[in-house]
Amino acid sequence: MDRAEKIDSIMKRRGFLWRSSEIYGGISGFYDYGHIGTLIKRKFENLWRHFFLGLNPMFFEISPSTIMPEEVFKASGHLEHFTDPIVRCKKCDFVERADQILENILHEKFEGLSKEELNEIIKKHKIRCPKCGGELEEVSEMNLMFPIEIGPFKKVRGYLRPETAQGAYVNFTKEFNALRKRLPIGLAVIGKAFRNEISPRGGVYRLREFTQAELQIFFDPDEINDHEDWESVKDLNMIVLLAGSEDAKEVSCEEMVEDIRLPKFYVYYMASVYKFYTEVLGYPKDSVRFRELSEDEKSFYNKLHWDLEVKLETLGGFKELCGVHYRYDHDLSSHEKMSGESQKVFLNEKKFIPHVIEISFGIDRNIYALIDFFYDERDGKSVLKLPFKVSPFDCAVFPLVKRDGLDERAIEIYKNLSGHFDCYYDDSGSIGRRYARQDEIGTPICITVDYDTLKDNTVTLRDRDTANQIRVKIGDLSATISKIIQRGKF
Ligand SMILES: [Zn+2]
């Protein structure tokens, strides 16, 4: 088995995630999280909350509805622009993204081209159906939103939101007032979003139903060239790849402002994202970079767009895990026009529509990335070296054997710990097998109750990453585990 197959096997066998409704064959682009996957997801989301909401006391999480009326997406531009070029075979009905067909055959990138341009290329290269060789229909545009018909006689048209962001925009004025009319304010949403992808591939990397964690930061555009906390990031070095460039280079945040001419307020949030990946999650610096998107790749609403990418072996290189977008006043201005409700604020002696910087994470792909990146092996056995703070369990408790009172003692310890930690209990199979099972799901600490425990009230703590063991007094157990998890190292 290669690395990807081994990871896939663990994810299915051990309760991480898999295709939804698999007993009926499932539908591409939908996944279910099992008990381990759910624990990791919850921990990742909590880390995200603590880190990003902690950036400013005026950043908060809200929970808007996932179904929104059509007007929202008329205003945001999704109804008109959130489309992919699609092409169908006249003979066998095979359907694919037009740019994807061309990319597979001509081995070049065609993302962002108009349907006219794509039709031209198809004609020029006499491209035919990759399945049956039949003739292709003209390229058309397919909207990627899921429409929903609401209420009796399905009279009201809504959509499953294609991004959580709109939920923050339609609530902006209410929150601005509730937060005592100050800027900047941040509104975060962690929740589901839905995109009817034409042919989702790459497992959880491109899904039709997925979880986003997005933070919309509303600010006064006259203050874009400064940030109150700038000193804390100005010397931070990041690896960046400029649009149109082949080589990534290391630059400081100060240089991002001076040489690359990005506004400080924007670079500050790029730096925050970079710190989240390198310091909180612990990805090594040489595996993380920011890539600037070209004009063709950028969404219609973004003035600046840099993606944070992590190098992932099973996906063949750097992959996007988070985007930092300067959406200008696009969304609030459009909602003002469509709804007739003013989105302007009166602040700093002027009336204006706030601008927005958005930090946008796909949670599912981030979880897959963690598993992919931190998968390792020792003596031919799998060890998932997840950062301790996202490991599904903090610790597992075992009795060495299931007799002589060792099991009762172990259960007692388990019950005490499980009030404070995500804790697992296991008494089946050999102790070696039990260690291996925890290594495979990434549990950082295994606690074993043995015959010495009955004599001196100590237990064994075993480190997932080295298999080294220490002995700890039961009375010190909670404090020791807390310290290890906090430190992120045994
Ligand atoms: Zn065909």
Side-chain angles (χ1 to χ4, degrees):
M1 283 203 285
D2 69 15
R3 185 184 176 87
E5 287 164 342
K6 284 178 193 163
I7 291 170
D8 195 54
S9 159
I10 293 175
M11 295 214 292
K12 284 207 177 108
R13 274 188 294 114
R14 300 305 312 278
F16 286 73
L17 68 162
W18 43 71
R19 249 168 108 106
S20 179
S21 306
E22 209 163 50
I23 59 169
Y24 294 104
I27 309 172
S28 296
F30 297 92
Y31 269 68
D32 289 346
Y33 282 83
H35 71 288
I36 296 288
T38 301
L39 283 164
I40 297 176
K41 184 167 184 275
R42 193 187 76 205
K43 287 196 171 175
F44 185 89
E45 289 170 2
N46 280 338
L47 270 188
W48 191 96
R49 280 188 179 95
H50 287 136
F51 183 83
F52 287 101
L53 300 184
L55 292 175
N56 186 318
M58 295 297 281
F59 289 2
F60 294 95
E61 184 179 359
I62 60 169
S63 303
S65 168
T66 52
I67 297 177
M68 302 176 87
E70 184 158 52
E71 289 81 357
V72 170
F73 303 108
K74 265 189 199 156
S76 70
H78 284 85
L79 207 55
E80 195 186 345
H81 298 291
F82 193 54
T83 57
D84 269 346
I86 188 173
V87 71
R88 185 160 60 178
C89 170
K90 285 182 181 170
K91 213 167 128 195
C92 77
D93 257 2
F94 173 73
V95 169
E96 177 63 286
R97 271 174 65 161
D99 55 331
Q100 193 66 54
I101 284 201
L102 290 175
E103 191 180 320
N104 293 346
I105 296 173
L106 302 172
H107 308 290
E108 267 180 70
K109 290 260 176 213
F110 296 94
E111 209 180 323
L113 296 191
S114 71
K115 60 180 183 193
E116 290 77 19
E117 289 167 317
L118 290 164
N119 271 326
E120 196 104 322
I121 298 168
I122 287 175
K123 276 202 197 95
K124 185 173 148 210
H125 292 274
K126 301 194 172 66
I127 304 291
R128 299 180 77 89
C129 170
K131 291 277 174 243
C132 77
E135 205 181 322
L136 297 172
E137 284 176 2
E138 292 267 299
V139 177
S140 55
E141 300 276 353
M142 180 182 125
N143 194 287
L144 299 186
M145 288 193 296
F146 285 102
I148 294 280
E149 286 158 329
I150 304 159
F153 306 112
K154 301 176 173 179
K155 271 191 176 156
V156 179
R157 169 61 72 98
Y159 291 90
L160 292 175
R161 64 184 179 198
E163 55 171 12
T164 66
Q166 295 306 322
Y169 303 141
V170 298
N171 287 303
F172 168 70
T173 51
K174 282 193 188 65
E175 286 292 341
F176 178 73
N177 291 331
L179 289 168
R180 301 208 311 278
K181 305 187 178 181
R182 285 187 284 175
L183 288 181
I185 62 169
L187 298 179
V189 181
I190 298 180
K192 294 279 192 178
F194 305 83
R195 294 179 184 179
N196 194 9
E197 298 282 350
I198 292 168
S199 48
R201 257 181 301 255
V204 297
Y205 199 74
R206 201 174 282 284
L207 292 172
R208 286 172 165 147
E209 175 182 346
F210 53 102
T211 301
Q212 286 186 315
E214 296 191 308
L215 172 63
Q216 313 299 323
I217 302 155
F218 300 86
F219 65 100
D220 177 348
D222 287 343
E223 293 177 3
I224 195 167
N225 290 316
D226 206 359
H227 191 285
E228 56 180 11
D229 200 16
W230 177 248
E231 287 298 307
S232 73
V233 302
K234 75 178 185 10
D235 297 323
L236 178 82
N237 283 335
M238 304 194 282
I239 296 170
V240 302
L241 181 66
L242 292 163
S245 164
E246 297 280 302
D247 301 306
K249 55 179 180 178
E250 193 169 335
V251 295
S252 70
C253 287
E254 191 86 75
E255 289 166 322
M256 296 284 285
V257 174
E258 299 297 325
D259 304 340
I260 305 178
R261 318 299 295 166
L262 292 173
K264 271 186 190 171
F265 196 79
Y266 182 80
V267 175
Y268 176 82
Y269 290 104
M270 288 177 74
S272 302
V273 166
Y274 200 77
K275 281 186 180 178
F276 183 73
Y277 279 92
T278 55
E279 292 171 19
V280 179
L281 297 177
Y283 282 105
K285 282 200 152 197
D286 60 1
S287 61
V288 178
R289 74 179 188 194
F290 261 113
R291 185 172 77 85
E292 182 188 24
L293 271 72
S294 67
E295 287 304 320
D296 281 348
E297 293 172 301
K298 266 191 236 170
S299 290
F300 57 92
Y301 45 74
N302 285 330
K303 201 168 159 68
L304 293 170
H305 183 165
W306 290 68
D307 278 343
L308 186 125
E309 301 183 327
V310 170
K311 198 175 183 179
L312 297 175
E313 205 179 314
T314 64
L315 294 175
F318 280 95
K319 289 286 166 186
E320 179 229 330
L321 295 182
C322 164
V324 183
H325 313 135
Y326 178 21
R327 294 176 71 135
Y328 212 66
D329 69 351
H330 166 78
D331 299 275
L332 290 183
S333 288
S334 311
H335 286 306
E336 177 173 286
K337 266 184 228 133
M338 180 66 63
S339 68
E341 299 244 352
S342 170
Q343 302 296 309
K344 292 182 184 70
V345 302
F346 189 79
L347 203 68
N348 307 329
E349 286 154 12
K350 61 183 189 257
K351 206 173 173 189
F352 63 98
I353 291 186
H355 284 203
V356 171
I357 282 172
E358 171 187 63
I359 295 173
S360 176
F361 276 68
I363 296 284
D364 314 277
R365 59 173 65 177
N366 270 283
I367 288 169
Y368 181 81
L370 285 167
I371 296 166
D372 182 347
F373 193 90
F374 290 103
Y375 175 85
D376 201 355
E377 289 176 8
R378 182 172 56 232
D379 305 329
K381 288 194 182 115
S382 306
V383 184
L384 192 54
K385 294 185 176 172
L386 287 174
F388 289 3
K389 285 176 188 164
V390 295
S391 295
F393 298 107
D394 301 311
C395 55
V397 180
F398 314 143
L400 181 66
V401 288
K402 232 167 99 179
R403 57 173 185 271
D404 304 330
L406 295 185
D407 43 350
E408 279 114 20
R409 207 59 212 280
I411 285 177
E412 192 189 311
I413 291 171
Y414 164 76
K415 282 187 177 159
N416 282 332
L417 291 177
S418 57
H420 313 279
F421 302 99
D422 286 310
C423 190
Y424 187 78
Y425 181 81
D426 190 2
D427 61 11
S428 64
S430 74
I431 195 81
R433 288 288 302 267
R434 281 181 264 165
Y435 284 144
R437 282 202 291 264
Q438 294 308 310
D439 286 346
E440 203 173 49
I441 60 171
T443 308
I445 304 165
C446 288
I447 300 158
T448 305
V449 172
D450 56 22
Y451 287 101
D452 286 340
T453 309
L454 304 181
K455 281 185 247 155
D456 62 6
N457 273 321
T458 63
V459 288
T460 300
L461 258 61
R462 174 186 174 271
D463 173 18
R464 174 196 73 193
D465 295 343
T466 59
N468 289 342
Q469 304 193 356
I470 56 169
R471 276 204 88 85
V472 172
K473 285 213 173 77
I474 291 176
D476 298 336
L477 207 45
S478 269
T480 308
I481 297 169
S482 287
K483 244 184 253 161
I484 292 172
I485 300 295
Q486 213 47 44
R487 192 164 62 211
K489 244 175 76 191
F490 196 80

